[in-house]
Structures are given as C-alpha cells and as structure tokens.
Amino acid sequence: MKWSDNAWERVKLIYNKILTMPFNTELSNGTLQKEKFIFYLAQDAYYLLEFGRTLSTISGRMQDADLVMAFAGFSTGAIFAERSLHESYFVEFGLANEVKPTPSTLLYTNYILSQAAYANVEIAVAAVLPCFWIYKAVGDHIFAQQTNDQNPYKRWIDMYAGIEFATAVEKAIDITNQLAARANGATQQKMLDVFEMATRLEWMFWDSAYELEKWKV
Amino acid sequence: MKWSDNAWERVKLIYNKILTMPFNTELSNGTLQKEKFIFYLAQDAYYLLEFGRTLSTISGRMQDADLVMAFAGFSTGAIFAERSLHESYFVEFGLANEVKPTPSTLLYTNYILSQAAYANVEIAVAAVLPCFWIYKAVGDHIFAQQTNDQNPYKRWIDMYAGIEFATAVEKAIDITNQLAARANGATQQKMLDVFEMATRLEWMFWDSAYELEKWKV
Amino acid sequence: MKWSDNAWERVKLIYNKILTMPFNTELSNGTLQKEKFIFYLAQDAYYLLEFGRTLSTISGRMQDADLVMAFAGFSTGAIFAERSLHESYFVEFGLANEVKPTPSTLLYTNYILSQAAYANVEIAVAAVLPCFWIYKAVGDHIFAQQTNDQNPYKRWIDMYAGIEFATAVEKAIDITNQLAARANGATQQKMLDVFEMATRLEWMFWDSAYELEKWKV
Amino acid sequence: MKWSDNAWERVKLIYNKILTMPFNTELSNGTLQKEKFIFYLAQDAYYLLEFGRTLSTISGRMQDADLVMAFAGFSTGAIFAERSLHESYFVEFGLANEVKPTPSTLLYTNYILSQAAYANVEIAVAAVLPCFWIYKAVGDHIFAQQTNDQNPYKRWIDMYAGIEFATAVEKAIDITNQLAARANGATQQKMLDVFEMATRLEWMFWDSAYELEKWKV
C-alpha cells in the first residue's frame, strides 16, 4: 500500500466536505457571487507566491539533482500561475496588485513556509502535497459537472483540468511516495499529520473566501 | 526618536483594545471562567515552545556574539517558562501534556517561525518583540489593578510582574532599537509592519482563548 | 556608480590572477592534461548541484514574485547544466556518477549554502554572483583567445560563450544592483565582502583542480 | 550496539592521527611555539561563535522542549567559551578582536552551519558531535599525560578536563544516540558520514593551526 493511499484515506472526510462547500458548489453551477470569486482570486494570488517560495525552499533542501530540479520547476509553475492571475483576472476585475492576506490565508502560507524551513524534508513535501492533489481533485470534480458553456467561471474551471497541472500533481504524488517509502513509520505518520493539516487549511481557505473573512482588529 | 517609539505609536490602538478584552478584564477582577483560563494556559504552553524555537533560530542568524548569546538566552527563558507551566498548572489542572493548537495559535507561531527563517534578521527580531513587550505591558497593567489577595489568578498575575521577565523585555527592546538604528528606512518600515501584525496576533491569541476557539473541520 | 562597479574594482586583482592561472591558460591553448580537465568536470558537477540548491534557497527568501521566479529559474539552469555534464562528459570519460568533493569545492559550496540560509538576502545574492559573473568573464576571455578548431576543449569553451548563460549573468548582475541600491552602506559593504570571498573561492576552485587536490586524511 | 559505538569505530583512524599530530604532542609536552598556540586560539574563537550559531539553529529545528532547551544551552556554553577566550587570552596575548578565518576554519564552520540549516535534524546533530566528543577525548588524552606544572599551556589543558564540558559532551552523545535509535538505517548511515567528515575537519583545524595556514590569494 502506497503512502498516498493512506494519505487519501486520512483526509477523505475533509475532502468530501470540501466538495460540498457552498463556494465550490456555487462555482460549479455558476451562481457564486462575483464578489466572492474576486475575493478568492486575490487570496489565491497571494497564496501562490508563498507556495512558490515554499517549493523553492524545499528544492534547496533536496540532495538529489532530480528533486532539486523538480521542486524548482514546481515553484516556477506556481509563480507563473500567480503572474497569469495578475495579468488576466486582476486587470479584468480591476484589482489592486497588492493583496492583504486574510487570517486563513496567512495561516496556510506560514504553515507550509515553516514546514519547508524547519521540518525534515519528507515532512515538508507532505505538507505541500494537498495544494497539488486536493486542488486537482476538486477541480476535476467541478470540471466533470459542467454541462454547458454558460458558467461565468468556465475559463477558471477549465484551467483546473489543464494537462500541465495534472502532470505536476502526478509527479508530486510520486515523489512523496518515493520519499515515504524510504522513511520509517514514525516519519510516515508525521507526513500524514501535516498532510491532514494542510488539507484542513485548504478547506479553511475556501471557507474564508466564501465568508469574505476579515481581520477582527 | 527611537524605532520603539514609532512602534508603540503604531500599535497603540490594538494595545488599548487588548487591555479591555473580556479575557483580560475578567482575569484582572478574578471573574474569568476557569475553563477559559485553563484553555489559555494550554495554548500558552504550546506557544512558548514555538516561541523558544523561533528565538533559537534568530540566535543562529545573528553574527555578533552578544546577540547570538542574547537570543539563545531568551529561548532558554521561554522553554523554562513552558516547562514551569507544565510542571505546575498542567499538574494542578490535570491537563494532558500534548496540546493541540487552535487556528489562532498556529497562525501566530508559524508567523514568527517563518519570519525567523526567511526574513532579514532585523525584521524577524521586530516580529518577536510583541510577545515580550505587549505581554509585559498588559501584565503590568493587570498587576497594577490588583487590590487584594482574593483573585484566584493571583499567582499567574504576579508572574507577569517578575523582574526577570522585565529585564528580558528591556533587553529585547534595546536590541531591536539598535538593529533598527543601523537599518535603512524601508527596513524600519517592514519592522513596523511585522511588529503590528504580531501585536494583532497577540490580540487574536487572547480572543481565541476567551472564545475557546475550535477548528471548523 | 553601480554597486557592481565597486564590486568589480574590489576583485580585479583576484580576477587577473584567475586569468593567468595555469588551469585557464592551458585550457585556453589546449595543453591542459586530460586528467586535470576530467578532475575539474567532476568537481564542477558537484558544485553545480549545490549552486542550484543555493539558488533555490535564495528564491524562497525573496518576496517579490519576479525575484522568486528569477532565482528558481537560475536554479533550474544550474541543475540543467549539471545534468548535461553527467549525460555528456561523464559518459564520454567514463566517470562515476557519485563525486567526492575536494576541500576547496566543499568550502565554496558550503560557503554559499550558508549565506543563502543565514545572511540577509541581499548579501546571499552577492555571494552567488561570482559564479555567474567571474565565470562568464573568464569564459569570454578564453573564448576570445581561440584561433582555430584544434583545441580539444573547444566544445567546453564554446559553452562559456553561450547566449543563454550570458543572459542569466546579465540578469543576476542587474538584480544584485537593484538590491544594493535599496540597501544602506553597511549592507553594501557586506555584499562586497562576500562577493570578494566567493571570487577568492572561485580562484581556489580552479587551483584545486589543477593541483588535483586530495584530502590529507 | 549504540550508534555512537559505530561512530567511534568509523573515526578511530582519524582520531588516532589527531592524537599524534605535532600540534597536540607539542601542546602536551609544552614545546609548541607560542605563535602557533596564539594562531590556534584566534581561530578557535572564530570557530566557537559559528559553532554557537549552528547549535542555536539546531535548537530551533527541534520539536521536543527538552531538546530545544538542550541545544540553546549548548549554544550559550559555546558563546560563553568564546567570550572567555576573548576576555582572557586575547587580552593576555594582545590579539585583535576581529579574527579572519583560515580556509580550514571557514570550511569547518560553513559545513556545520549548512548541515544545521538544510539536512534532516538528526544528521545536523551528528555533524556537530565531533566538536564535543573528539575535542573532549583529545583533551582528556593530553590532560592525562601531564606530569608537572611547568607546561606553559597548563591553564588551557586544564579547561579541557572541566566537569562542565564533560557533562555537555555526555549529554550530546546521549541525544545523538536517542535520535539515531528512532531513525532508519539510511539516516543512521548519513549520520555516520557527516560525523566522519566533521572529525576530518577537526583534524584539518589542528593541522591548519600548526601550519599557520594562509590564503593563497
């Protein structure tokens, strides 16, 4: 049994809750308020930059050339996506370039940044996997439910189903499995722990966008 | 004008809000529910360990022997406080040794851990200062309001006013001012930004204890 | 006056010594012993992997998306070069995949890795610049001296003069100048210090290859 | 069989060579040139500061409060020793406060700093162990050979045999064994690799002092 099988088992309940979150069901059927979608995009742009920094840091902590390359490539991909957001949606919706992160966004980004800098590297890799895997699975789910071209969020949903992202996700899962296979039981458990926490933070990210989360002070 | 004068000016509004938070006013007059106090202590123990790790990491990034020593000493102090909590209150209240952090606690700890690992070191120092300074100021304020010995939280409140912590706080402020004095304007601004954010996270820490914050998933 | 002008002034003497090192003059006129060239290639492959890891780590410490992207791209470039070495020269010369670094190689790689992890990020950037700039300048110098196609190291020398590397070098210098322009005088001085030290370590790298440096124990 | 037994077996040959190095035999019988001793002290002071920074960084990467505390305490001990050197010997011998490290010193310090920042934390711990253990063993060996009070380096040699340092060394070995016991075979091997390399760098440190090592450029 692969580590990723255990990992999916571990987060299945949270994943199922993500699929039925108002943000995702309304995005899927096209009824999501534009304000919430825009709020989400801005937070996503902020997130992607920090995700890229995290992936670069993990790249630096790898010792195998293929893995240094893989994570530097993942980082480039994340920053490229962040730039695309700014150059397309930000212009389209008239958003400011500077985004102030919500508490939930800041929680998620600092969680993965800390794992990358402090934890043993296999654990850091497990912490960034949900942003690949859960995101992809949710995207595929929403994409599969589209029946016509009237959804105003079609362009965004199509991106989810891109082959490039699919390839990156598969590669990220493979790498994590390889690292887990070489780790002992205690490390594999910690990898599951952080994978679960990052999946929970994915849920919070969508929830906070739907709630247009504000800082209390 | 010292950097710390600007810093205090910057957070004065948040600081004033902290003073009047239910958690602190009820702690001060002794009416705080015991459940909330215990909840707070457990989160504080979790926080202190991560605070200690952050201070150690900053110590490692210093180049001056006095500063390496100072932050290693601060770290030892934080871990010593964490141990004291476990050895006194945890036993007294029958708390489990393993504490699960709330979202607000995890946000604060990962914020300072990330600053210590990624930011230029002056900025990291500014990010840990509120936990010294704001905490001390709030503690002194509550201590000054005590009029008799009937407050069930007296022992905790007395700790706030300890001379050892006071010395550490003064030293931390002095070091931050010295680093700020050698930094340029842009860096001083970033120092103010993270100082303000960490102060905001102090507010959220107390708020989340009073609300007995739970994870939504 | 740009920081890079000061930087070049600072290392001019070492740079001139590098140009006249036996390794480089003999590489240039084609008389370098094959054993020394092979020894050098193996160390270079080891170096490039660590250089890539260093660049990724710097990428993770940047806050501007363009700079995160730039250094992740530099890292990918370094690892790509390392792979090319293994896939071409290593096969051609029958070299083992695993390279044991010499003291000089280990000194250089750990110096830049440490700067990337501990120093303020502008200083880390200055520490990796010689591997772009000095290397490029030396390569151009040797390339310019080629008069015919008989040099057995022609293929290697031609690589030095590649347009891709030239573009990367120019970008690295520009970025460093921008960061220096925003830094204060003390930081600019430290940037010069590490730039000089890394240039010195470049000299030692070539010297150690020519001497076929061994560990004493 | 403890990991430390394997570790000692692994470095026994290098350790035996260290015992018979001219620096140590001449220090032991009091014939070491004062110039070499002074050179050594200055490099040792430089080393200790970087050793302290390394230990602080490891402290920050620990997750157990006892270990965070232990390594912050080791760091404080190293910086305290560095200060003592400056306040006693540096004054006595009229040394400048600023020490320029030799290539061998810089190689050793950056090696351990890099391990602390990049490697999985058990491996980082194994990399700093020789500076505790080998140093202590060599010190005890030299101390045991003293027969009278005429050795001009007596005060220094006595320090080697201090009970405080002995306690720290024992604790460091115990911690490393505990971490190794929880690690898998591949990690234990890597721990042996870096332990051996750091022991080799100990040899080079003494050798470079005896040779009054200079930079070639």
Side-chain angles (χ1 to χ4, degrees), chain A residues 21-178:
Chain A
M21 293 178 84
F23 186 94
N24 286 320
T25 55
E26 296 178 11
L27 179 78
S28 183
N29 63 29
T31 59
L32 183 66
Q33 288 176 29
K34 202 173 170 186
E35 181 193 12
K36 295 188 175 185
F37 184 65
I38 292 172
F39 188 94
Y40 168 80
L41 285 182
Q43 295 299 313
D44 202 35
Y46 181 92
Y47 176 86
L48 282 168
L49 174 54
E50 304 296 276
F51 186 52
R53 296 176 60 206
T54 303
L55 295 165
S56 288
T57 304
I58 291 177
S59 167
R61 291 195 51 211
M62 289 295 176
Q63 298 200 287
D64 178 86
D66 289 338
L67 295 180
V68 175
M69 182 76 127
F71 280 88
F74 289 154
S75 173
T76 305
I79 303 300
F80 189 78
E82 185 263 354
R83 278 188 177 174
S84 303
L85 281 182
H86 274 100
E87 286 166 14
S88 58
Y89 292 98
F90 272 54
V91 172
E92 181 181 340
F93 294 123
L95 290 177
N97 262 322
E98 195 72 36
V99 177
K100 206 182 145 186
T102 63
S104 295
T105 302
L106 205 63
L107 169 53
Y108 194 178
T109 55
N110 280 291
Y111 182 73
I112 55 175
L113 281 165
S114 291
Q115 295 296 327
Y118 292 91
N120 282 2
V121 76
E122 306 83 7
I123 295 165
V125 168
V128 294
L129 191 57
C131 185
F132 288 97
W133 196 6
I134 301 289
Y135 215 80
K136 175 69 184 155
V138 171
D140 285 349
H141 180 84
I142 292 175
F143 182 78
Q145 292 180 322
Q146 301 306 302
T147 50
N148 59 51
D149 286 356
Q150 306 309 308
N151 192 330
Y153 305 118
K154 182 180 184 304
R155 188 154 59 100
W156 177 255
I157 292 166
D158 289 351
M159 248 187 56
Y160 272 119
I163 186 71
E164 268 188 73
F165 186 48
T167 309
V169 171
E170 202 175 317
K171 191 173 176 179
I173 296 172
D174 281 353
I175 288 171
T176 318
N177 274 330
Q178 287 165 31

Side-chain angles (χ1 to χ4, degrees), chain C residues 2-4 8 67 70-71 74 125 128-137 140 160-179:
Chain C
K2 290 177 186 170
W3 177 88
S4 58
W8 195 260
L67 295 181
F71 280 89
F74 289 153
V125 168
V128 294
L129 190 58
C131 185
F132 288 97
W133 195 7
I134 301 288
Y135 215 79
K136 175 68 184 155
D140 285 350
Y160 272 118
I163 186 71
E164 269 189 73
F165 187 48
T167 309
V169 171
E170 202 175 317
K171 191 172 176 179
I173 296 172
D174 281 352
I175 289 171
T176 317
N177 273 331
Q178 287 165 30
L179 294 173

Side-chain angles (χ1 to χ4, degrees), chain A residues 113-114 117-118, chain B residues 57-58 61 112-119 124, chain C residues 61 116-117:
Chain A
L113 281 165
S114 291
Y118 292 91
Chain B
T57 303
I58 291 175
R61 292 194 52 211
I112 54 175
L113 281 165
S114 292
Q115 296 296 328
Y118 292 91
Chain C
R61 292 194 52 211

Side-chain angles (χ1 to χ4, degrees), chain B residues 84-98:
Chain B
S84 303
L85 280 182
H86 273 100
E87 285 165 15
S88 57
Y89 292 99
F90 272 53
V91 172
E92 182 181 340
F93 295 124
L95 291 176
N97 261 322
E98 196 72 37

